[in-house]
Amino acid sequence: MNYQNKTLAQLHSFERAGFLTYAGTMERRQEYVVQTIFEVRQGRAGREVAHWEYDAALFKTRSRIYLSDVFKHFNGWITENKIELVYIRRLLQRIFFSDKFFRAMKNSAKVIYELPTYPLDPSDRLSDRFNERVEMMYFKLFVEPGLDLVAVCLQKDCVLPEKYLPFSNGIDAQRYKPGKIPELKEEFRCIAFAHVRYWHGYERVIEGIKKYQGPYTLRFDIYSNENNTTEELKKAAAEYGLMDNIVLHEAVPLEEMSGAAAGCHIGIGGLAYHKRGAALDTSLKSKEYAALGLPFIYEVPDMSINENWPYHFRIPQDDTPIDFEKVILWYKSLPPDYKVKMHEFAAAYLQYDTEVRDIKNRLFKSDRSIN
């Protein structure tokens, strides 16, 4: 459920390609772990078509046994409903002992397994790096041979095996409303929507605000779940005496993003991808800013957006503070219809349609076509 915006956007592209689409989720609800399959129509969750519940305490302590039930229910539903294509996001350590369930899936459907970032994000914890290496070894030896495709979102250029299909994350542009262009008088406002981690590099914004000597009051609104990184940002804001300038909010659902962005001048993309060794931006954030009509600053390029696109501003790949004098000059140079232009671009180029077209061409010979 944490990735529902991305998943629903992907499924809407599959709909446009002629598929009837469903989503399967696992979610903790009080004392139960709930497995649900529901219809997806026009990129939105529809009616529930299947539902199973597991005791949450036993699910945690006897996860291998319970995951057998999860796959059994899922595979039974796939067969019964003549599902043609199954698209599964990375299972992490839950992949162990799953190969027989993938083989069963293959009896009735074509199967794609997604690695959301590739190569995988490096962890700063030795135990995580060990678990990741074992996970990928198991995947390579036992799961990958039985798959039809492995979808990978590339963080850097690399040579891929034939079965691997590179993709870019996509949005459902119609669900984002650009709103009105804000006036620029006394305050220049920045905004970020993220599950904040160290690679977002928002300390560069805070330090840039501290250094700025220009005529505007700078404000930075961050919408995120609270975690260790957001606590560090709060401490930095307090240390610099910027508590009124750096405002942290709870994360908001997609439907509330347009309202939260009202009055904001620019979006803040990932500003420290260099810390995880990434040469490419794989996130949804830049695409969401484009659909919201928010010009944004970024560090490493997104393969879906040309470097010469005028509505984003690239900063150096290092830890230097943001130079807000340059950013504000760039913002003032934008055309007066920039929100309309950005949203049109997002609708034309930043959805998942191209990826679905590639999948369809690789796996199916039919008359399905994206409108």
Side-chain angles (χ1 to χ4, degrees):
M1 295 300 288
N2 290 338
Y3 302 99
Q4 60 180 302
N5 291 345
K6 172 188 169 177
T7 302
L8 292 174
Q10 287 178 314
L11 288 172
H12 199 183
S13 288
F14 277 104
E15 283 188 272
R16 285 193 291 272
F19 288 90
L20 194 62
T21 58
Y22 301 85
T25 67
M26 297 290 293
E27 186 181 16
R28 174 72 180 263
R29 297 183 192 168
Q30 296 179 342
E31 70 268 27
Y32 295 103
V33 173
V34 180
Q35 178 186 9
T36 307
I37 298 174
F38 53 86
E39 293 178 337
V40 175
R41 299 295 177 263
Q42 294 299 307
R44 297 177 184 272
R47 70 182 181 92
E48 224 178 68
V49 296
H51 180 102
W52 301 274
E53 293 184 353
Y54 312 93
D55 181 279
L58 290 175
F59 194 95
K60 184 174 181 180
T61 58
R62 303 174 63 195
S63 59
R64 191 184 306 172
I65 297 171
Y66 273 78
L67 282 173
S68 297
D69 290 338
V70 168
F71 274 106
K72 180 180 70 176
H73 291 145
F74 188 49
N75 288 356
W77 187 87
I78 289 168
T79 302
E80 181 183 342
N81 290 274
K82 298 181 172 60
I83 298 299
E84 297 177 83
L85 176 65
V86 179
Y87 191 110
I88 296 182
R89 187 180 170 91
R90 181 186 174 195
L91 297 176
L92 299 168
Q93 276 67 50
R94 290 181 291 277
I95 199 171
F96 297 123
F97 307 103
S98 66
D99 49 298
K100 64 179 179 180
F101 304 114
F102 277 97
R103 289 196 297 271
M105 225 178 279
K106 280 278 293 167
N107 290 332
S108 57
K110 296 185 182 299
V111 182
I112 300 175
Y113 188 89
E114 178 188 305
L115 297 174
T117 53
Y118 188 87
L120 301 180
D121 294 329
S123 173
D124 54 359
R125 296 174 58 186
L126 181 62
S127 59
D128 288 344
R129 292 200 298 272
F130 175 79
N131 289 337
E132 188 174 90
R133 179 165 294 189
V134 174
E135 171 204 345
M136 293 311 297
M137 186 181 302
Y138 186 92
F139 171 75
K140 287 278 188 182
L141 290 174
F142 299 107
V143 177
E144 183 184 307
L147 300 172
D148 291 285
L149 283 178
V150 180
V152 293
C153 197
L154 293 178
Q155 297 199 87
K156 59 182 71 173
D157 288 331
C158 55
V159 177
L160 295 173
E162 184 179 354
K163 189 179 286 188
Y164 281 50
L165 181 70
F167 76 94
S168 294
N169 279 317
I171 58 168
D172 191 353
Q174 71 175 17
R175 299 188 66 187
Y176 299 83
K177 307 302 178 187
K180 297 179 180 179
I181 292 180
E183 294 184 1
L184 179 54
K185 291 184 177 180
E186 298 177 355
E187 187 175 59
F188 185 78
R189 291 185 59 187
C190 314
I191 192 169
F193 299 102
H195 298 297
V196 177
R197 298 289 299 277
Y198 70 89
W199 59 72
H200 287 104
Y202 293 159
E203 65 277 0
R204 300 181 69 179
V205 181
I206 296 174
E207 291 167 4
I209 291 174
K210 180 178 181 291
K211 290 187 66 174
Y212 176 70
Q213 300 293 319
Y216 301 101
T217 298
L218 303 185
R219 172 170 165 148
F220 181 28
D221 290 275
I222 304 171
Y223 288 81
S224 172
N225 299 326
E226 290 189 5
N227 56 40
N228 291 339
T229 307
T230 59
E231 288 302 314
E232 290 172 5
L233 294 175
K234 288 179 185 177
K235 289 178 183 176
E239 180 182 338
Y240 292 150
L242 297 174
M243 294 297 288
D244 292 335
N245 304 75
I246 315 299
V247 185
L248 283 95
H249 310 263
E250 291 184 3
V252 294
L254 187 154
E255 289 74 18
E256 296 179 23
M257 289 175 68
S258 297
C264 293
H265 300 93
I266 65 168
I268 305 296
L271 306 183
Y273 281 105
H274 64 278
K275 290 185 176 179
R276 69 182 200 188
L280 297 169
D281 187 344
T282 63
S283 72
L284 284 180
K285 211 53 53 200
S286 297
K287 298 174 176 67
E288 290 186 314
Y289 292 146
L292 287 167
L294 272 174
F296 57 92
I297 59 176
Y298 70 104
E299 182 195 41
V300 298
D302 182 318
M303 288 194 301
S304 303
I305 303 175
N306 189 287
E307 284 284 279
N308 296 322
W309 195 58
Y311 308 109
H312 62 171
F313 183 91
R314 189 171 184 179
I315 63 169
Q317 283 181 245
D318 55 34
D319 299 325
T320 56
I322 302 302
D323 186 336
F324 274 103
E325 290 189 5
K326 289 183 179 179
V327 170
I328 293 170
L329 280 175
W330 158 73
Y331 176 79
K332 288 179 175 180
S333 73
L334 297 176
D337 60 347
Y338 71 77
K339 282 189 176 288
V340 172
K341 296 296 186 185
M342 292 181 72
H343 186 78
E344 288 175 348
F345 178 86
Y349 300 108
L350 301 183
Q351 303 193 109
Y352 200 68
D353 293 0
T354 300
E355 284 72 14
V356 173
R357 189 178 291 117
D358 290 343
I359 289 169
K360 182 180 73 70
N361 291 338
R362 289 276 292 267
L363 298 184
F364 296 98
K365 293 181 180 179
S366 71
D367 59 355
R368 292 192 182 94
S369 61
I370 293 178
N371 296 328

